[in-house]
Amino acid sequence: MTIDAKHYDVIVAPVITEKATMASEHNKVVFKVTRKATKPQIKEAVEKLFDVKVKSVNTLLRKGKTKIFRGNLGSQSDSKRAVVTLEEGHRIDVTTGL
């Protein structure tokens, strides 16, 4: 099994939030991915990088928040997230890193 550099370009970072931690109890892992990443690309990248079997991939586009700081209007950039459901018996512990 070979790992290409393109797999590292698809997955940006794991998402570690309270909601993502609760989802990990149900064999789900949340990743921040690139905007142009497709579900098959995400599935392939997770399977190659973490050596696990992926059951399904759900994606969502998260709109960036608009904030006012010292009178200046600014906004966070939009991001894409992927909720990856793993097959039974497979786990990824994102708190330890790659």
Side-chain angles (χ1 to χ4, degrees), residues 35 60-65 76-81:
R35 291 284 302 255
L60 58 111
L61 286 173
R62 185 165 180 214
K63 185 157 172 53
K65 296 179 181 178
Q76 296 176 343
S77 58
D78 300 342
S79 63
K80 186 173 188 177
R81 292 183 178 195

Side-chain angles (χ1 to χ4, degrees), residues 45-83:
V46 170
E47 286 180 345
K48 299 279 185 179
L49 292 175
F50 296 101
D51 196 28
V52 294
K53 192 73 177 152
V54 174
K55 187 175 187 180
S56 67
V57 176
N58 294 322
T59 59
L60 58 111
L61 286 173
R62 185 165 180 214
K63 185 157 172 53
K65 296 179 181 178
T66 303
K67 300 204 174 198
I68 298 175
F69 182 70
R70 293 188 178 180
N72 295 325
L73 185 65
S75 63
Q76 296 176 343
S77 58
D78 300 342
S79 63
K80 186 173 188 177
R81 292 183 178 195
V83 180

Side-chain angles (χ1 to χ4, degrees), residues 1-11 41 44-52 98:
M1 174 170 27
T2 60
I3 299 174
D4 293 335
K6 67 179 180 177
H7 298 309
Y8 288 105
D9 293 337
V10 172
I11 297 176
Q41 289 174 340
E44 181 185 356
V46 170
E47 286 180 345
K48 299 279 185 179
L49 292 175
F50 296 101
D51 196 28
V52 294
L98 269 176

